[in-house]
Amino acid sequence: MLWGAVGAVGLVFLIALEITARRYGERGPITDQAREVIFAPKSGTVLYVSMALMMVVLTWRQRFIALGAAVGIDVVFWLVRWAVDAKMMIGNGALWVTLACAVIAVTRRTGRDRVLLLKGVGLALLLVAGRKTGYTWLLITSKTRPTVLDQYVATADHALGDPSWVVGRIVEATGSVGAHVLDWVYVQLAVAAVIVALYQLRNVAVERRFPGHHLVRTFLVIGLLGPGIYMIFPVVGPIFVYGADGGHWAVADLWPGTPPPVGTPHPMPFDGITPRNCMPSLHTAWATAIFIHSLKGPWALRFLGAFWLIATLGATLGFGYHYGADIIAGVVFTLTIETALRALDRGWDRPGIRMVVYGTVVFAALLVSYRYLSVEMAERPWVFGPLLVLAMTSVVYGYVRTTNLWDRKAASVHLPEPRREPRPELVESSAAGMVAADRAGRS
């Protein structure tokens, strides 16, 4: 019943997005995904990544068959597109295999095997649908929010030392090599996420069940809730409002050479194309989630998580996509969601509820302060700068303390009882008693 209710709500949500996108003359997530069964996908990487997540429920033999079938189908599509001079892209084969597994689960599997395979297919399709839903959300933010609040965030960012301008100059100084590395990390965020997720789900085929909590859950919830905040706090980023990418909509061409002067901020109109997708920084949120979930893996996985987080922060700031205030909000946003999902998995208790409430309050306080206290923050950076960092640090500390408490409790539940060794004096007395009884019996 729970899965049915979730599926029904998700379907209604997708239909609503489809209708909304149609109103603005664009294809919605349902139509866009249905087209990719035949036409060239927007991202073949996402489709193959989704199929890889689905294959965690299969045996190794089944995985090789599925991968071979996907590659074979893509080769056929490639040849046909080459012959008719159509757009070239891979990924259709991965989608066909995923859908075929859904058909096999319904028609050829029963019991737990059917449920497990359907969960794997559902996980893959959720990831694909999340990507399509994200495109539609970004379209909606650009069409329904004609004004942006960048001036408020840029003013508040003076309290943090204008980190986007500082990192932007550093990235420029590294030349094309540094920019290309950061750009690849920024674009291929899903690669690191899948590596960590596959490690977490590596035993699904053997244990015949999914773990209670894993990275994909956090990824999907971040992607679902984040665009809602975009609608409340529309921001496009310094490269657009204070850089050349904004065209005639920009206030001035200042990024990254000159930080904007402190003035009286106000909402400003912006184009109907650029997504209002800055507050909070979801790239930072997703990279933080990758880092958190990589901490329980081997050293190579921990290194990957730390590298991706640092490089993502460098890209989001260094390319002018985000302000420092967005980064702080993104970290708080992720830790609050991660705590809520872990509490939902293990059962709600007082520490979990307290941490989720605290993270929510801090996140709301950050948005309110950016909107209504930005001038005061810029005028007193020695006060508000440390306060912003302290607010984020307090959420990090609360998350670590809460999860460590949960881990200790879980370890104590599974800890075996200590073996009781016999005391020497008891052994001697019991042996003497046995000898005396034996003598009495003989007499």
Side-chain angles (χ1 to χ4, degrees), residues 249-264:
W249 296 94
V251 173
D253 189 2
L254 302 175
W255 188 90
T258 306
V262 178
T264 302

Side-chain angles (χ1 to χ4, degrees), residues 341-370:
L341 290 176
R342 289 195 60 173
L344 182 65
D345 174 52
R346 70 181 305 278
W348 289 94
D349 57 5
R350 182 173 294 180
I353 296 173
R354 183 169 57 239
M355 180 58 209
V356 171
V357 171
Y358 179 69
T360 304
V361 170
V362 171
F363 182 75
L366 289 174
L367 297 187
V368 172
S369 64
Y370 297 157

Side-chain angles (χ1 to χ4, degrees), residues 85-261:
D85 196 24
K87 179 182 178 183
M88 307 299 287
M89 178 60 70
I90 62 172
N92 301 89
L95 182 58
W96 276 46
V97 169
T98 302
L99 296 176
C101 286
V103 175
I104 292 172
V106 174
T107 60
R108 303 293 296 276
R109 300 289 180 88
T110 59
R112 292 183 62 184
D113 289 340
R114 172 186 289 177
V115 173
L116 186 66
L117 185 52
L118 285 176
K119 283 185 177 181
V121 172
L123 188 66
L125 294 180
L126 273 176
L127 188 62
V128 175
R131 182 73 173 244
K132 299 300 180 185
T133 301
Y135 291 144
T136 306
W137 261 119
L138 295 182
L139 170 68
I140 294 173
T141 62
S142 64
K143 298 298 184 183
T144 61
R145 292 296 179 266
T147 60
V148 297
L149 304 178
D150 282 74
Q151 293 188 27
Y152 294 91
V153 183
T155 303
D157 234 31
H158 285 297
L160 298 170
D162 301 300
S164 181
W165 274 258
V166 174
V167 180
R169 290 194 294 271
I170 294 174
V171 171
E172 279 193 344
T174 62
S176 60
V177 175
H180 280 105
V181 171
L182 292 181
D183 181 66
W184 186 85
V185 169
Y186 187 84
V187 173
Q188 300 298 335
L189 182 70
V191 173
V194 168
I195 292 174
V196 176
L198 289 177
Y199 174 79
Q200 292 180 322
L201 303 176
R202 66 193 183 281
N203 295 324
V204 170
V206 176
E207 298 176 354
R208 312 306 294 167
R209 65 179 181 86
F210 279 86
H213 178 53
H214 49 83
L215 176 61
V216 181
R217 296 178 67 197
T218 307
F219 243 66
L220 291 173
V221 174
I222 289 174
L224 179 64
L225 298 181
I229 311 299
Y230 294 163
M231 303 291 286
I232 299 172
F233 208 106
V235 181
V236 294
I239 189 64
F240 297 103
V241 174
Y242 298 99
D245 287 17
H248 69 276
W249 296 94
V251 173
D253 189 2
L254 302 175
W255 188 90
T258 306

Side-chain angles (χ1 to χ4, degrees), residues 356-406:
V356 171
V357 171
Y358 179 69
T360 304
V361 170
V362 171
F363 182 75
L366 289 174
L367 297 187
V368 172
S369 64
Y370 297 157
R371 177 65 175 82
Y372 297 104
L373 296 175
S374 58
V375 175
E376 289 77 5
M377 294 169 72
E379 292 174 347
R380 299 172 179 84
W382 62 88
V383 175
F384 286 97
L387 280 178
L388 290 175
V389 176
L390 181 62
M392 180 186 69
T393 305
S394 68
V395 176
V396 174
Y397 172 76
Y399 171 80
V400 172
R401 182 177 180 181
T402 302
T403 53
N404 285 343
L405 175 64
W406 287 343

Side-chain angles (χ1 to χ4, degrees), residues 12 18-19 24 45 55 57 72 179 190 249 293 299-300 345 380 396 399 401 405:
V12 171
E18 182 76 25
I19 295 173
Y24 294 110
T45 303
M55 289 195 301
V57 306
W249 296 94
H293 284 264
W299 69 268
D345 174 52
R380 299 172 179 84
V396 174
Y399 171 80
R401 182 177 180 181
L405 175 64

Side-chain angles (χ1 to χ4, degrees), residues 195-196 199 290-310:
I195 292 174
V196 176
Y199 174 79
I290 291 172
F291 173 72
I292 292 172
H293 284 264
S294 69
L295 291 177
K296 292 188 177 182
W299 69 268
L301 201 67
R302 296 196 297 270
F303 175 81
L304 174 73
F307 167 76
W308 227 272
L309 175 60
I310 294 172

